[in-house]
Amino acid sequence: MSTLVRSRLDETYAALPERPAVQNERAPRQRLRKTASVAAATILLGATVFASGFVSPVMAKSLKQIPMVGSLFSSIEADLGLRAAGEQGLAAKVNAGVSYQDVKLDVTETVYDGTRAVFLLHVAAPNVKDGMFDTGKEAVKLSNAIDSIVFKVNGQEINGVNYASAGAANPNLLVFENVLPAVDQNEATLIPDNFHAEVLVKLVGIDHEFILDVPFQKTTKDIINLNPTASQSSDQGSLTVSEVNVTPVTTRLVTTIKLGKPLSEQLSHTRIAVYDDQGRQLPALNGEGTLEENSISFDGRFASTGKTKYLIVKPFVYEDDFSEKVREDQFIEGLELKIDLPPQSEQ
């Protein structure tokens, strides 16, 4: 939605609601990152560059850095996962557009790694200029001109769409993201590797619902799947990590935390912070969990921060929401756990 989550967001996250069962928690995912920065230059290249069917590695790297030839995702500074998707060729160019009267919406690129479904949307209209949308009553930021948005797959609405401006360099471009719900491995997969999402968008002051057909294709190659059943115990309780899934875009961990006091307030406010081998905290996206008598099991998704040799998992007690930057006095002592990861190949 620090300078991805605090570094990728300009606003504070909404607080998680308190309830006995933690289900489908999405509070830290305010409207996507408003600090995303995307380069604006475009360039027209001669057809001879591509006609030979061969591009040297040096040329290929250079082309990826040129917007509209490479991916605009590669220039997003605030979300390292999305930037990696652009740099590693995981973004797919699409041409899905709809128009109504003099307003045109165009989806230009998508990223999908099996967990995060992201697309870029360009808005063109006479009342849109430099990222501002004139409603007829007032001029508002384009990111504030979205009256409603619905994301459907196979007719089923999937909640949790976030959005924000792509940055000052591309003021009329919006980034939309949906962190898809986890799927029980014993059940049929809800979201396939390739799917079309029906996205319904309404803009403020326009009595029309734009219906976009957005194709998503899972392009992530470098996927790590582990079932480590790693655990750490102390006088405070125990931490177990039972599942780890890492892509260049998203990191997912399934954890169980047990504490001594049944159904304590501390337990209901306990989550994990995840760090890479450089000490960077992975931005929290969302998750689903279950609170039992003296334990909380949580399936959490985080934005990846790049290739890493290991992950450090540290339970903490949150104050505002579980995506906050954690102070030392919030950690639960003695429950830090290191998860070694296999080497990640170059894309």
Side-chain angles (χ1 to χ4, degrees), residues 284-311:
L285 298 173
N286 71 355
E288 295 92 37
T290 303
L291 183 64
E292 297 180 352
E293 183 178 2
N294 69 333
S295 69
I296 182 168
S297 297
F298 202 73
D299 188 331
R301 269 83 79 195
F302 305 81
S304 297
T305 53
K307 288 180 169 57
T308 180
K309 296 177 181 178
Y310 56 82
L311 297 172

Side-chain angles (χ1 to χ4, degrees), residues 15-324:
L16 289 175
E18 294 183 31
R19 53 186 181 273
V22 184
Q23 296 292 336
N24 197 28
E25 294 208 29
R26 300 182 181 273
R29 302 180 56 237
Q30 65 159 49
R31 289 197 226 182
L32 203 60
R33 313 140 270 289
K34 295 205 179 261
T35 56
S37 173
V38 184
T42 59
I43 189 169
L44 180 63
L45 297 183
T48 55
V49 173
F50 305 99
S52 66
F54 171 79
V55 179
S56 71
V58 175
M59 176 64 79
K61 183 176 181 180
S62 299
L63 291 178
K64 283 187 178 182
Q65 296 174 355
I66 302 174
M68 306 312 292
V69 175
S71 168
L72 286 175
F73 283 110
S74 64
S75 297
I76 295 180
E77 297 293 339
D79 187 324
L80 295 179
L82 293 181
R83 188 171 72 185
E87 292 173 345
Q88 297 177 22
L90 303 178
K93 298 290 179 116
V94 300
N95 183 18
V98 293
S99 60
Y100 172 72
Q101 295 181 352
D102 52 5
V103 180
K104 193 170 192 310
L105 306 185
D106 285 301
V107 178
T108 61
E109 289 186 73
T110 63
V111 165
Y112 175 52
D113 70 338
T115 299
R116 299 170 73 184
V118 189
F119 65 91
L120 301 179
L121 180 71
H122 183 267
V123 182
N127 62 326
V128 176
K129 183 179 180 181
D130 297 330
M132 300 300 292
F133 184 94
D134 189 346
T135 67
K137 296 181 180 179
E138 61 177 340
V140 300
K141 291 182 179 180
L142 182 59
S143 57
N144 293 331
I146 304 297
D147 187 45
S148 67
I149 180 166
V150 176
F151 189 99
K152 293 183 178 181
V153 179
N154 296 327
Q156 178 180 351
E157 182 176 348
I158 300 179
N159 296 321
V161 182
N162 294 310
Y163 52 91
S165 169
N170 283 277
N172 298 338
L173 191 71
L174 297 175
V175 185
F176 286 78
E177 174 186 272
N178 199 336
V179 181
L180 303 177
V183 176
D184 189 332
Q185 298 302 311
N186 295 321
E187 297 180 2
T189 302
L190 175 64
I191 309 296
D193 288 349
N194 299 297
F195 68 93
H196 282 248
E198 183 182 40
V199 181
L200 292 72
V201 180
K202 292 194 71 174
L203 298 173
V204 174
I206 298 179
D207 187 20
H208 177 76
E209 188 170 58
F210 295 87
I211 302 177
L212 294 159
D213 181 18
V214 184
F216 288 95
Q217 179 177 1
K218 185 177 178 181
T219 55
T220 304
K221 304 172 185 176
D222 198 7
I223 300 177
I224 294 174
N225 287 299
L226 300 175
N227 297 99
T229 316
S231 62
Q232 183 66 272
S233 301
S234 73
D235 293 340
Q236 301 290 318
S238 66
L239 164 68
T240 300
V241 178
S242 58
E243 188 173 345
V244 177
N245 177 275
V246 180
T247 81
V249 183
T250 314
T251 297
R252 172 176 172 252
L253 289 91
V254 179
T255 59
T256 299
I257 301 169
K258 293 183 179 181
L259 299 179
K261 297 180 181 180
L263 293 178
S264 67
E265 182 178 353
Q266 181 184 23
L267 183 61
S268 65
H269 283 70
T270 299
R271 299 294 184 271
I272 61 167
V274 184
Y275 299 85
D276 65 13
D277 58 8
Q278 298 182 44
R280 296 176 297 189
Q281 183 177 347
L282 277 62
L285 298 173
N286 71 355
E288 295 92 37
T290 303
L291 183 64
E292 297 180 352
E293 183 178 2
N294 69 333
S295 69
I296 182 168
S297 297
F298 202 73
D299 188 331
R301 269 83 79 195
F302 305 81
S304 297
T305 53
K307 288 180 169 57
T308 180
K309 296 177 181 178
Y310 56 82
L311 297 172
I312 298 294
V313 184
K314 302 173 71 172
F316 72 98
V317 179
Y318 71 81
E319 295 179 350
D320 295 324
D321 61 71
F322 79 94
S323 66
E324 64 196 25

